[in-house]
Amino acid sequence: MSTSGMPSVDLLGEQIASVLADPAATHGLARTRRAAAKEIELHRYHSSRRAWPNGRIDEKPAKVQIGGGAHRIDSFFNIDLVPPADLLWDIREGVPLHDDSVEEIFSEHFLEHIDYPRSAKQYVREAHRVLAKAGRIITGVPDAAFALSQHPGPLDTTDETIERWYAKRDCRGDINTRLDLVNLVFRDQDDDPTYTPHLWAYDHEKLVQLFTEAGFTTVEPWTFDLTMANPKRRWGSVYVVATK
Ligand SMILES: C[S@@+](CC[C@H](N)C(=O)[O-])C[C@H]1O[C@@H](n2cnc3c(N)ncnc32)[C@H](O)[C@@H]1O
C-alpha cells in the first residue's frame, strides 16, 4: 500500500505483468491491461520528475516542438513521450515551461492522440500560458472534414489515403470500405502495444473553436513549411496557426 492507502502503482504493475504473461488471458483483458501497463510506465517516469520547482524545467527555449516523435526539428526544443526528444514528458501533465517565455510552438499529428476534452483543452490553455505576447502555436492534425467529404463512396484499394497513410502498417488488409478510412481518422487503433491511438478528430472549424476558447486572438490557416513540418503530413491534414 502507498501512504495514501491506494494499492501501490508498482504492485499494480506486477499484477498486470503476471496477467499479461498468462496465455489464458482473454483478448479483451490483455488489450486493456497493455494500455494500463503503458500508463503505469509513464506514471513512474512522471512521479520522479514532479520534484521540479513549480513543475517547470530550467531551460527557457524560444521554439518548442510537441509530439514530434522521430521527426526532430534541430532548431526547436523537442518534447515527446519517447526518444529522441530533448525532454521526455507527458503533455497531459501540463507544459513544463515558464509563463510568457516561448515564441513558437509546433506540433503535427499529435493533438488527436490525447483525450478530449480534459487533456486537449488543458494542453491548449497551457500553450497559451507559456507563449509570449504575439507568440504562435502551429497545429496540424489529420483532416476529419477531408475523410468525411469522401464518404459515402466506393473504396478503391489503391486509394491515395491508404497509400500515403497506411501502406506501411499491417492494417492495410482491414481497410475494406470508405467507412474504415473515416474510422481510422477518428479512432485509429492497433494491437501494437507501442501504438498511441487516435482519441478525437478535428477539422478547421474545431481547431478555430479550441484555440479561440483558450484566449488566442487569431486562428488562421497555416501555409505548410518544410523547414519544420514532416513532408509526409502535407497530404490530407489541416493546419492552423494561432496567435496569442
Ligand atoms: C503519430 S506521432 C507523430 C509524430 C510526428 N509529429 C510526425 O508527424 O511524424 C504522435 C507523437 O505524439 C507523441 N505523443 C502522444 N501522446 C503524447 C503525450 N501525452 N505527451 C507527449 N507526446 C505524446 C507520441 O509519442 C508520438 O511521437
Side-chain angles (χ1 to χ4, degrees):
M1 287 281 177
S2 71
T3 48
S4 67
M6 296 271 286
S8 91
V9 170
D10 287 340
L11 179 59
L12 196 58
E14 282 164 30
Q15 289 170 341
I16 287 176
S18 85
V19 170
L20 284 173
D22 181 350
T26 55
H27 170 68
L29 187 62
R31 195 175 146 103
T32 51
R33 296 294 122 151
R34 274 201 301 270
K38 190 169 169 182
E39 293 294 345
I40 286 172
E41 209 181 302
L42 290 174
H43 172 86
R44 277 209 192 97
Y45 183 80
H46 284 276
S47 315
S48 65
R49 290 296 180 284
R50 288 212 178 95
W52 280 333
N54 310 318
R56 314 276 186 263
I57 58 169
D58 292 339
E59 291 97 325
K60 290 193 173 171
K63 295 187 174 197
V64 177
Q65 178 180 219
I66 311 274
H71 178 75
R72 271 184 64 90
I73 316 175
D74 284 337
S75 52
F76 281 59
F77 185 77
N78 299 278
I79 302 178
D80 200 294
L81 291 174
V82 293
D86 301 301
L87 177 68
L88 300 183
W89 180 258
D90 182 351
I91 282 295
R92 294 171 300 178
E93 300 300 306
V95 178
L97 302 172
H98 295 267
D99 295 359
D100 307 307
S101 62
V102 180
E103 284 167 21
E104 189 158 78
I105 299 175
F106 179 77
S107 97
E108 59 189 342
H109 286 235
F110 153 73
L111 184 63
E112 70 277 15
H113 292 271
I114 58 174
D115 54 288
Y116 176 93
R118 193 262 189 200
S119 297
K121 289 197 169 187
Q122 175 179 274
Y123 161 66
V124 174
R125 281 195 304 271
E126 280 282 276
H128 188 270
R129 175 184 64 76
V130 303
L131 281 168
K133 193 162 185 283
R136 306 179 337 142
I137 176 167
I138 296 156
T139 306
V141 283
D143 188 0
F146 169 72
L148 290 168
S149 73
Q150 302 196 323
H151 178 272
L155 181 70
D156 174 352
T157 49
T158 60
D159 183 277
E160 201 174 359
T161 313
I162 303 177
E163 278 306 315
R164 288 182 181 266
W165 284 359
Y166 304 113
K168 291 196 183 126
R169 296 251 307 269
D170 61 7
C171 64
R172 191 172 176 162
D174 302 317
I175 305 172
N176 311 118
T177 70
R178 187 56 68 185
L179 189 60
D180 292 326
L181 276 180
V182 173
N183 265 306
L184 281 170
V185 171
F186 283 75
R187 50 188 303 127
D188 191 0
Q189 51 190 288
D190 208 311
D191 269 343
D192 177 344
T194 63
Y195 193 74
T196 49
H198 286 180
L199 298 180
W200 205 252
Y202 297 88
D203 61 4
H204 177 79
E205 184 186 9
K206 181 62 201 172
L207 291 173
V208 171
Q209 182 277 323
L210 193 62
F211 286 97
T212 305
E213 181 183 272
F216 286 88
T217 52
T218 61
V219 189
E220 307 286 344
W222 181 69
T223 308
F224 198 85
D225 175 357
L226 279 170
T227 60
M228 49 185 114
N230 183 341
K232 75 177 186 191
R233 304 300 185 199
R234 178 175 230 144
W235 194 87
S237 302
V238 54
Y239 286 81
V240 294
V241 51
T243 305
K244 182 167 172 179

